[in-house]
Amino acid sequence: MTALDNYVAPTSLEQAVVQLQELGEVTILAGGTDLMPQSHAGRVKFKRTLMNIRRIPELRGIVREGDAIRIGALTTISEMMAHPLVREHLPLLVSAGDHFASDQIRNAGTVGGNICNASPAGDTLVPLMVLDASVELASKPDDTLFRRSMPLPEFFVGPGKTRLAPAELLTAVRVPIPPKGFVARFHKFGTRPALDISAISIGVAGVLKDGKFSQVRVAFGAVAPTPVCGCATQEALEGKRLDAATIAAAAKAAQDEVHPISDVRASAWYRKEMIHNMTKRILEDVSANH
Amino acid sequence: MPETIQRDSLIGKRITKLDAPEKAGGKTRYIQDLDVQGQLYGKILRSARVHARIKSIDTAAAKALPGVHAVITAADVPYQRPIGVAKDHFPLKTDRVRSLRDEIAAVAAETEAIAEAALKLIKVEYEDLPVLADPNDSLKPDAPLIHPEPHGATAKHDHLKQAQGIAYRGKPDNIAMTFDYAQGDVAAGERESDVVFEDTFHLHYVTHCCMGVSGIIAEFDPSGNLLMYSNTQVPFLHKREFAEILNMDPARIRIIQPPIGGGFGSKLDIYPFEPITVFLAKATGRPVKLVFTREEEFLASPTRQPVILTLRSGCRKDGTLTFRTVSTLHDNGAYTSWGATTPFVMMQTISSLYRVPHCLYHTKAVYTNNPYAGSFRGYGNLQATFAVEQHMDMMAAAIGMDPLAFRLKNAQDSGEVTPQGMHFKSCGFKECLSTAAEASGFLAKFKANEADKAKPGRFKRGVGMASMLHVGGGAKIYPSDGCGTILKMDDFGSVTLITGASEIGQGSETVLAQLVCEELGVPLSAVRVINNDTEITPWDVGVHASRTTFIAGNSAIGAAKKARGKILDAAAKMAGLDAADLDLRAGHIVEAKNGTVVMTLAKLLRQLHFSDKAELVVTSFYYEPPSKHQDKHFKGDVSAAYAWATQVVEVEVDTDTGIVRLLKVTGAHDVGRILNRLGLEGQIEGGIVMGQGYALTEELMVENGVVRNPGFRDYKLVTAPEIPEMDVRFIETMDGEGPQGAKGVGEAPAICIAAATANAIHNATGVRIMALPFTPEKVYRALKAKDQHH
């Protein structure tokens, strides 16, 4: 347990960012599903102030804004999975949520928390990346509320590390509504069907038109310090027909472009093998079903 | 009052466990939920090094922390004595640490947080020693010694203790224990063989993962009597052992067991945290409660015995087994607990599961700086069965026999006495084999999978079988295998059964109550079971070796029969009838021939107060079942009855990933007789899942003496969606000595799964893996190696 000097629970975004600016050293509590166990295990030390952001209404809700869907940072994984807009336009997030920890954790854990936690194995990160999502950040360095947005891949720096500035709050994630012909797949590969942390994960998305795959996005989880773009794999697929030769070349490109580590969950060799086999499997599935 | 009552029986029915309502309702008060007025909280400082000399310990800052009542090290308890099976383990380490779990100091404080803060203030200086992480290295001639013989002041000090019988003596080498067994002439056996296989099997570390972590409360009263609230499985043995190691009069030690959140063998030995808590209670004059964190539970609990096992076996072309030679290297860890003694059970499987004329068995248990192994459900049998049953499949294939026919040809029958001296008075082995094979469609599936193996396709199906033999009628491990019962009846026809046998979640109190109901004709609701206080309950040797139903059951029946005799005699006198013509049914005394009610049991019991022969308390002991100690050559009939089982496992192997999914387990178990069908099903199903974890997912990863996955995130227990369909059949052989014909089967269901899974993976893929667990990566690697080979 960590002793706290200060606890704040702002009730508006305005109040939160002002407090962030004033208090400096702050640990932010959203769902707490990662923060609390990490803190109990002594792996995360609370800063001087613990800020509970759960009472900030602006951080909640899922809305359509023009050609995008805005998912508030405090949206729980369960809320995200159940929301009609997500179910209609972003079914990839529903299927990703289905592999996310357990029901209890999905009921508490938030989308914003999963992103800020910046685990290379975070279950929403790879799907959000292939959906071309960006994050919305807010701060109040002076008298005006400052908002900026950043494409998701740029946000991650390392395990648990992001480009979030010290006085900044992640307010939402914005996902463009995919175009016609859009197909997307997410595969979380763990060694057991429930309550597992990915050994690797793969997201593939693109537009299938006249048999050709374009605007391809590929991302991998748990093979690098952050979720990463599968850029070489994208290139191997862009504008191609998903025939056996293309799929084999893409799977090979995927295997060659990742540089995972060995840890208690899997060896680097096995991770590369699984990146190859699962990329192949996903692409075969896309090819067979469209 | 009814006019007639027909005989009814609870035996074989599905009876809800007596403690189910409180457990399901979350009302059970485990050690975690118990608090004693004025208690302090204990915490242990463990080693930061795997193997090192302790140069200095500075506790001054910890002692000065407000709220701290005591900080103790070995120097504060010069009276401490070594614990464990080989007395090679001081609770608080004196001059060196031998593994990362080692206890260096302990704190008692007003809150857990203060105790934890105090631990951080203790400064320890170490001088690193070379680490032995591989048991093979421990045997090298130049290997550093883990337990060098003490010399100088320590030796002198220890001399005093030697005179009192318990002393730390050290060892001139790293060999903790050896076991040798021989029957017949293996060289002659090999000459007669047409097929011989030799392979080395690697069995890994797993741990019990009891949902209730370890804990204890120790308290001295002003007269110096020690009360411990303890989760032990062996309260009476511990009472004696604690008396020895604390140099106390055993009469001054009382052990109360709160409901225990899982045992599985983990609580058969005394571990350092228990005497350390007593030391803290002594040092502070206050009750001290010490409960492990989950991480501590992983780091500092005993494990299943890891084993490197080399098996050489042979048979003739006609399928007759000829010989087996086994050599095992047991990684003892840094100290000796029960894991080192698993050869007792391993050699039974080697010599006596099948008829084998010639056997040679050798084990070395060697010290390393790894976690130390204790006893764990199955006690070496999972390891032995893993090797023996894979070789059975390999030999069958080599001589062109199917795995079932080969096993049936060599299986034991009832009446047999094996060369090791085990006498199988009741034996349903062949029926287990044929029942499991038939119910699962084993042979047809086995052949179909063989044919499909070479065909293309990502998913491969496989089926595999394995069988086991285990003690089921007590076990002659200690000089006595007894259990006592006190049975008390009150004025209202209720029965209090006071038994020495502990309940650790296995359902013994329900079965014991059922056996009493059977004799006394009372409903289950009329029986209370008291089983958790050494001051009240009669002696029992403890929960181990699948013995409780058999031994405590027979003891309870003995008491109930005595009470029944007294009641019927009194009733006969009162009613002017012959006692032999009376029976007890549903709380009434009735005429046996037609069920005509004579009077209620309650009325009779009340009337006994007015006679001079009330005697509503009876006692009994079931001491020596017809078994005997093994002689020094490990020969002897160690149990009054033996349990048998065959399990057929069906798997699906994903060749793209190496993931093995258990689809179905069909088990046939010789249980003697079904007492509580629901409890039995629960025990078998739970055991199957435990075996599944051992086979597929669980592994305590130990690297250079460091446990790398001390938590449920990366120590993977089986989760609900992975649990296979189960079809469990019971074979009732009605054992002559068993209570109502039953045998003990607590350990049996966990034993075969890993071996059967190995055989099923081979049936599916043609790949034979001789190391556990079958993680996706290990299976995938093996599949890849086979592909490259072709």
PDB file of all heavy atoms in Angstrom, chain B residues 45-49 52-59 73 97 104-105 119-127:
ATOM      1  N   LEU B  45      11.035 -11.612   6.823  1.00  0.00           N
ATOM      2  CA  LEU B  45      12.004 -11.122   5.837  1.00  0.00           C
ATOM      3  C   LEU B  45      12.678 -12.335   5.200  1.00  0.00           C
ATOM      4  O   LEU B  45      13.274 -13.161   5.898  1.00  0.00           O
ATOM      5  CB  LEU B  45      13.065 -10.241   6.499  1.00  0.00           C
ATOM      6  CG  LEU B  45      14.119  -9.716   5.514  1.00  0.00           C
ATOM      7  CD1 LEU B  45      13.524  -8.627   4.619  1.00  0.00           C
ATOM      8  CD2 LEU B  45      15.355  -9.183   6.242  1.00  0.00           C
ATOM      9  N   ARG B  46      12.549 -12.430   3.887  1.00  0.00           N
ATOM     10  CA  ARG B  46      13.157 -13.556   3.171  1.00  0.00           C
ATOM     11  C   ARG B  46      14.437 -13.122   2.479  1.00  0.00           C
ATOM     12  O   ARG B  46      14.671 -11.938   2.280  1.00  0.00           O
ATOM     13  CB  ARG B  46      12.155 -14.126   2.161  1.00  0.00           C
ATOM     14  CG  ARG B  46      10.932 -14.672   2.851  1.00  0.00           C
ATOM     15  CD  ARG B  46       9.918 -15.274   1.896  1.00  0.00           C
ATOM     16  NE  ARG B  46       8.724 -15.600   2.650  1.00  0.00           N
ATOM     17  CZ  ARG B  46       8.573 -16.692   3.390  1.00  0.00           C
ATOM     18  NH1 ARG B  46       9.534 -17.579   3.433  1.00  0.00           N
ATOM     19  NH2 ARG B  46       7.463 -16.904   4.070  1.00  0.00           N
ATOM     20  N   SER B  47      15.197 -14.106   2.092  1.00  0.00           N
ATOM     21  CA  SER B  47      16.513 -13.825   1.508  1.00  0.00           C
ATOM     22  C   SER B  47      16.394 -13.052   0.209  1.00  0.00           C
ATOM     23  O   SER B  47      15.459 -13.244  -0.568  1.00  0.00           O
ATOM     24  CB  SER B  47      17.237 -15.140   1.252  1.00  0.00           C
ATOM     25  OG  SER B  47      18.447 -14.885   0.588  1.00  0.00           O
ATOM     26  N   ALA B  48      17.378 -12.190  -0.019  1.00  0.00           N
ATOM     27  CA  ALA B  48      17.469 -11.492  -1.301  1.00  0.00           C
ATOM     28  C   ALA B  48      18.452 -12.219  -2.215  1.00  0.00           C
ATOM     29  O   ALA B  48      18.670 -11.804  -3.343  1.00  0.00           O
ATOM     30  CB  ALA B  48      17.925 -10.052  -1.077  1.00  0.00           C
ATOM     31  N   ARG B  49      19.089 -13.267  -1.710  1.00  0.00           N
ATOM     32  CA  ARG B  49      20.076 -14.005  -2.494  1.00  0.00           C
ATOM     33  C   ARG B  49      19.696 -15.483  -2.536  1.00  0.00           C
ATOM     34  O   ARG B  49      19.088 -15.992  -1.607  1.00  0.00           O
ATOM     35  CB  ARG B  49      21.479 -13.891  -1.862  1.00  0.00           C
ATOM     36  CG  ARG B  49      21.934 -12.465  -1.638  1.00  0.00           C
ATOM     37  CD  ARG B  49      22.100 -11.715  -2.953  1.00  0.00           C
ATOM     38  NE  ARG B  49      22.396 -10.306  -2.703  1.00  0.00           N
ATOM     39  CZ  ARG B  49      23.634  -9.847  -2.497  1.00  0.00           C
ATOM     40  NH1 ARG B  49      24.658 -10.663  -2.522  1.00  0.00           N
ATOM     41  NH2 ARG B  49      23.821  -8.563  -2.269  1.00  0.00           N
ATOM     42  N   ALA B  52      23.962 -17.769  -0.172  1.00  0.00           N
ATOM     43  CA  ALA B  52      24.915 -16.784   0.348  1.00  0.00           C
ATOM     44  C   ALA B  52      25.165 -17.017   1.831  1.00  0.00           C
ATOM     45  O   ALA B  52      24.358 -17.621   2.529  1.00  0.00           O
ATOM     46  CB  ALA B  52      24.381 -15.363   0.144  1.00  0.00           C
ATOM     47  N   ARG B  53      26.330 -16.529   2.264  1.00  0.00           N
ATOM     48  CA  ARG B  53      26.600 -16.483   3.693  1.00  0.00           C
ATOM     49  C   ARG B  53      25.977 -15.197   4.228  1.00  0.00           C
ATOM     50  O   ARG B  53      26.005 -14.172   3.541  1.00  0.00           O
ATOM     51  CB  ARG B  53      28.115 -16.442   3.924  1.00  0.00           C
ATOM     52  CG  ARG B  53      28.602 -17.425   4.958  1.00  0.00           C
ATOM     53  CD  ARG B  53      30.098 -17.313   5.162  1.00  0.00           C
ATOM     54  NE  ARG B  53      30.880 -17.726   4.003  1.00  0.00           N
ATOM     55  CZ  ARG B  53      31.107 -18.995   3.666  1.00  0.00           C
ATOM     56  NH1 ARG B  53      30.596 -19.983   4.380  1.00  0.00           N
ATOM     57  NH2 ARG B  53      31.826 -19.291   2.601  1.00  0.00           N
ATOM     58  N   ILE B  54      25.381 -15.282   5.403  1.00  0.00           N
ATOM     59  CA  ILE B  54      24.853 -14.056   6.029  1.00  0.00           C
ATOM     60  C   ILE B  54      25.997 -13.442   6.827  1.00  0.00           C
ATOM     61  O   ILE B  54      26.489 -14.055   7.767  1.00  0.00           O
ATOM     62  CB  ILE B  54      23.675 -14.377   6.969  1.00  0.00           C
ATOM     63  CG1 ILE B  54      22.551 -15.097   6.208  1.00  0.00           C
ATOM     64  CG2 ILE B  54      23.148 -13.102   7.617  1.00  0.00           C
ATOM     65  CD1 ILE B  54      21.445 -15.642   7.108  1.00  0.00           C
ATOM     66  N   LYS B  55      26.446 -12.258   6.414  1.00  0.00           N
ATOM     67  CA  LYS B  55      27.568 -11.635   7.124  1.00  0.00           C
ATOM     68  C   LYS B  55      27.080 -10.857   8.330  1.00  0.00           C
ATOM     69  O   LYS B  55      27.671 -10.906   9.393  1.00  0.00           O
ATOM     70  CB  LYS B  55      28.350 -10.713   6.175  1.00  0.00           C
ATOM     71  CG  LYS B  55      29.203 -11.518   5.200  1.00  0.00           C
ATOM     72  CD  LYS B  55      29.904 -10.630   4.201  1.00  0.00           C
ATOM     73  CE  LYS B  55      31.012  -9.809   4.865  1.00  0.00           C
ATOM     74  NZ  LYS B  55      31.604  -8.876   3.872  1.00  0.00           N
ATOM     75  N   SER B  56      25.977 -10.145   8.138  1.00  0.00           N
ATOM     76  CA  SER B  56      25.442  -9.409   9.282  1.00  0.00           C
ATOM     77  C   SER B  56      23.972  -9.090   9.053  1.00  0.00           C
ATOM     78  O   SER B  56      23.518  -9.010   7.914  1.00  0.00           O
ATOM     79  CB  SER B  56      26.220  -8.098   9.489  1.00  0.00           C
ATOM     80  OG  SER B  56      25.936  -7.228   8.411  1.00  0.00           O
ATOM     81  N   ILE B  57      23.261  -8.933  10.158  1.00  0.00           N
ATOM     82  CA  ILE B  57      21.861  -8.505  10.090  1.00  0.00           C
ATOM     83  C   ILE B  57      21.715  -7.349  11.067  1.00  0.00           C
ATOM     84  O   ILE B  57      22.052  -7.489  12.255  1.00  0.00           O
ATOM     85  CB  ILE B  57      20.889  -9.636  10.499  1.00  0.00           C
ATOM     86  CG1 ILE B  57      21.209 -10.931   9.746  1.00  0.00           C
ATOM     87  CG2 ILE B  57      19.441  -9.209  10.251  1.00  0.00           C
ATOM     88  CD1 ILE B  57      20.392 -12.129  10.228  1.00  0.00           C
ATOM     89  N   ASP B  58      21.230  -6.218  10.583  1.00  0.00           N
ATOM     90  CA  ASP B  58      21.049  -5.050  11.447  1.00  0.00           C
ATOM     91  C   ASP B  58      19.553  -4.757  11.572  1.00  0.00           C
ATOM     92  O   ASP B  58      18.903  -4.358  10.616  1.00  0.00           O
ATOM     93  CB  ASP B  58      21.796  -3.853  10.835  1.00  0.00           C
ATOM     94  CG  ASP B  58      21.612  -2.592  11.682  1.00  0.00           C
ATOM     95  OD1 ASP B  58      20.895  -2.660  12.713  1.00  0.00           O
ATOM     96  OD2 ASP B  58      22.179  -1.554  11.303  1.00  0.00           O
ATOM     97  N   THR B  59      19.033  -4.982  12.779  1.00  0.00           N
ATOM     98  CA  THR B  59      17.594  -4.822  12.985  1.00  0.00           C
ATOM     99  C   THR B  59      17.262  -3.557  13.779  1.00  0.00           C
ATOM    100  O   THR B  59      16.103  -3.340  14.127  1.00  0.00           O
ATOM    101  CB  THR B  59      17.009  -6.040  13.738  1.00  0.00           C
ATOM    102  OG1 THR B  59      17.680  -6.153  14.992  1.00  0.00           O
ATOM    103  CG2 THR B  59      17.178  -7.318  12.943  1.00  0.00           C
ATOM    104  N   THR B  73      15.788 -12.620  14.935  1.00  0.00           N
ATOM    105  CA  THR B  73      16.613 -13.372  13.987  1.00  0.00           C
ATOM    106  C   THR B  73      17.022 -14.663  14.692  1.00  0.00           C
ATOM    107  O   THR B  73      16.660 -14.878  15.861  1.00  0.00           O
ATOM    108  CB  THR B  73      17.888 -12.581  13.613  1.00  0.00           C
ATOM    109  OG1 THR B  73      18.716 -12.498  14.785  1.00  0.00           O
ATOM    110  CG2 THR B  73      17.558 -11.168  13.124  1.00  0.00           C
ATOM    111  N   VAL B  97      21.980 -18.564   3.763  1.00  0.00           N
ATOM    112  CA  VAL B  97      20.701 -18.810   3.093  1.00  0.00           C
ATOM    113  C   VAL B  97      20.970 -19.745   1.921  1.00  0.00           C
ATOM    114  O   VAL B  97      22.027 -19.655   1.291  1.00  0.00           O
ATOM    115  CB  VAL B  97      20.047 -17.502   2.599  1.00  0.00           C
ATOM    116  CG1 VAL B  97      19.505 -16.713   3.766  1.00  0.00           C
ATOM    117  CG2 VAL B  97      21.006 -16.669   1.769  1.00  0.00           C
ATOM    118  N   ILE B 104      15.066 -14.918   7.169  1.00  0.00           N
ATOM    119  CA  ILE B 104      16.222 -14.304   7.813  1.00  0.00           C
ATOM    120  C   ILE B 104      15.829 -13.632   9.123  1.00  0.00           C
ATOM    121  O   ILE B 104      16.536 -13.705  10.120  1.00  0.00           O
ATOM    122  CB  ILE B 104      16.874 -13.282   6.859  1.00  0.00           C
ATOM    123  CG1 ILE B 104      17.541 -14.051   5.719  1.00  0.00           C
ATOM    124  CG2 ILE B 104      17.876 -12.399   7.601  1.00  0.00           C
ATOM    125  CD1 ILE B 104      18.209 -13.177   4.695  1.00  0.00           C
ATOM    126  N   ALA B 105      14.675 -12.969   9.092  1.00  0.00           N
ATOM    127  CA  ALA B 105      14.220 -12.259  10.289  1.00  0.00           C
ATOM    128  C   ALA B 105      12.699 -12.213  10.267  1.00  0.00           C
ATOM    129  O   ALA B 105      12.077 -12.488   9.225  1.00  0.00           O
ATOM    130  CB  ALA B 105      14.792 -10.844  10.313  1.00  0.00           C
ATOM    131  N   LEU B 119      10.158  -4.530   7.909  1.00  0.00           N
ATOM    132  CA  LEU B 119      10.996  -5.456   7.136  1.00  0.00           C
ATOM    133  C   LEU B 119      11.961  -4.680   6.246  1.00  0.00           C
ATOM    134  O   LEU B 119      13.108  -5.057   6.083  1.00  0.00           O
ATOM    135  CB  LEU B 119      10.137  -6.359   6.242  1.00  0.00           C
ATOM    136  CG  LEU B 119       9.268  -7.433   6.899  1.00  0.00           C
ATOM    137  CD1 LEU B 119       8.647  -8.318   5.827  1.00  0.00           C
ATOM    138  CD2 LEU B 119      10.057  -8.269   7.891  1.00  0.00           C
ATOM    139  N   LYS B 120      11.447  -3.582   5.696  1.00  0.00           N
ATOM    140  CA  LYS B 120      12.270  -2.803   4.765  1.00  0.00           C
ATOM    141  C   LYS B 120      13.440  -2.114   5.489  1.00  0.00           C
ATOM    142  O   LYS B 120      14.399  -1.708   4.847  1.00  0.00           O
ATOM    143  CB  LYS B 120      11.395  -1.735   4.066  1.00  0.00           C
ATOM    144  CG  LYS B 120      10.344  -2.361   3.157  1.00  0.00           C
ATOM    145  CD  LYS B 120       9.846  -1.392   2.099  1.00  0.00           C
ATOM    146  CE  LYS B 120       8.834  -2.060   1.179  1.00  0.00           C
ATOM    147  NZ  LYS B 120       7.430  -1.786   1.553  1.00  0.00           N
ATOM    148  N   LEU B 121      13.326  -1.991   6.813  1.00  0.00           N
ATOM    149  CA  LEU B 121      14.384  -1.308   7.566  1.00  0.00           C
ATOM    150  C   LEU B 121      15.486  -2.266   8.034  1.00  0.00           C
ATOM    151  O   LEU B 121      16.480  -1.844   8.618  1.00  0.00           O
ATOM    152  CB  LEU B 121      13.776  -0.588   8.785  1.00  0.00           C
ATOM    153  CG  LEU B 121      12.766   0.525   8.452  1.00  0.00           C
ATOM    154  CD1 LEU B 121      12.132   1.058   9.730  1.00  0.00           C
ATOM    155  CD2 LEU B 121      13.453   1.651   7.676  1.00  0.00           C
ATOM    156  N   ILE B 122      15.281  -3.558   7.805  1.00  0.00           N
ATOM    157  CA  ILE B 122      16.296  -4.527   8.234  1.00  0.00           C
ATOM    158  C   ILE B 122      17.387  -4.595   7.169  1.00  0.00           C
ATOM    159  O   ILE B 122      17.101  -4.768   5.991  1.00  0.00           O
ATOM    160  CB  ILE B 122      15.668  -5.918   8.458  1.00  0.00           C
ATOM    161  CG1 ILE B 122      14.580  -5.821   9.538  1.00  0.00           C
ATOM    162  CG2 ILE B 122      16.743  -6.933   8.835  1.00  0.00           C
ATOM    163  CD1 ILE B 122      13.770  -7.093   9.711  1.00  0.00           C
ATOM    164  N   LYS B 123      18.636  -4.418   7.615  1.00  0.00           N
ATOM    165  CA  LYS B 123      19.747  -4.447   6.651  1.00  0.00           C
ATOM    166  C   LYS B 123      20.495  -5.771   6.798  1.00  0.00           C
ATOM    167  O   LYS B 123      20.896  -6.157   7.893  1.00  0.00           O
ATOM    168  CB  LYS B 123      20.708  -3.288   6.927  1.00  0.00           C
ATOM    169  CG  LYS B 123      20.083  -1.923   6.630  1.00  0.00           C
ATOM    170  CD  LYS B 123      21.099  -0.811   6.833  1.00  0.00           C
ATOM    171  CE  LYS B 123      20.415   0.524   7.045  1.00  0.00           C
ATOM    172  NZ  LYS B 123      19.765   0.638   8.390  1.00  0.00           N
ATOM    173  N   VAL B 124      20.663  -6.438   5.670  1.00  0.00           N
ATOM    174  CA  VAL B 124      21.378  -7.716   5.674  1.00  0.00           C
ATOM    175  C   VAL B 124      22.559  -7.612   4.727  1.00  0.00           C
ATOM    176  O   VAL B 124      22.426  -7.137   3.609  1.00  0.00           O
ATOM    177  CB  VAL B 124      20.458  -8.874   5.210  1.00  0.00           C
ATOM    178  CG1 VAL B 124      21.171 -10.216   5.342  1.00  0.00           C
ATOM    179  CG2 VAL B 124      19.162  -8.878   6.004  1.00  0.00           C
ATOM    180  N   GLU B 125      23.720  -8.026   5.221  1.00  0.00           N
ATOM    181  CA  GLU B 125      24.899  -8.114   4.348  1.00  0.00           C
ATOM    182  C   GLU B 125      25.112  -9.577   3.974  1.00  0.00           C
ATOM    183  O   GLU B 125      25.106 -10.452   4.853  1.00  0.00           O
ATOM    184  CB  GLU B 125      26.130  -7.619   5.097  1.00  0.00           C
ATOM    185  CG  GLU B 125      26.350  -6.127   5.016  1.00  0.00           C
ATOM    186  CD  GLU B 125      27.697  -5.789   5.619  1.00  0.00           C
ATOM    187  OE1 GLU B 125      27.859  -6.047   6.843  1.00  0.00           O
ATOM    188  OE2 GLU B 125      28.572  -5.319   4.894  1.00  0.00           O
ATOM    189  N   TYR B 126      25.303  -9.811   2.698  1.00  0.00           N
ATOM    190  CA  TYR B 126      25.494 -11.194   2.229  1.00  0.00           C
ATOM    191  C   TYR B 126      26.875 -11.343   1.607  1.00  0.00           C
ATOM    192  O   TYR B 126      27.460 -10.380   1.120  1.00  0.00           O
ATOM    193  CB  TYR B 126      24.488 -11.531   1.126  1.00  0.00           C
ATOM    194  CG  TYR B 126      23.036 -11.423   1.499  1.00  0.00           C
ATOM    195  CD1 TYR B 126      22.313 -10.260   1.241  1.00  0.00           C
ATOM    196  CD2 TYR B 126      22.371 -12.507   2.070  1.00  0.00           C
ATOM    197  CE1 TYR B 126      20.967 -10.162   1.545  1.00  0.00           C
ATOM    198  CE2 TYR B 126      21.018 -12.417   2.370  1.00  0.00           C
ATOM    199  CZ  TYR B 126      20.321 -11.245   2.110  1.00  0.00           C
ATOM    200  OH  TYR B 126      18.983 -11.161   2.403  1.00  0.00           O
ATOM    201  N   GLU B 127      27.330 -12.585   1.568  1.00  0.00           N
ATOM    202  CA  GLU B 127      28.502 -12.905   0.754  1.00  0.00           C
ATOM    203  C   GLU B 127      28.063 -14.061  -0.139  1.00  0.00           C
ATOM    204  O   GLU B 127      27.768 -15.154   0.340  1.00  0.00           O
ATOM    205  CB  GLU B 127      29.649 -13.336   1.666  1.00  0.00           C
ATOM    206  CG  GLU B 127      30.924 -13.655   0.946  1.00  0.00           C
ATOM    207  CD  GLU B 127      31.926 -14.291   1.902  1.00  0.00           C
ATOM    208  OE1 GLU B 127      32.083 -13.791   3.054  1.00  0.00           O
ATOM    209  OE2 GLU B 127      32.512 -15.309   1.529  1.00  0.00           O
TER     210      GLU B 127
END
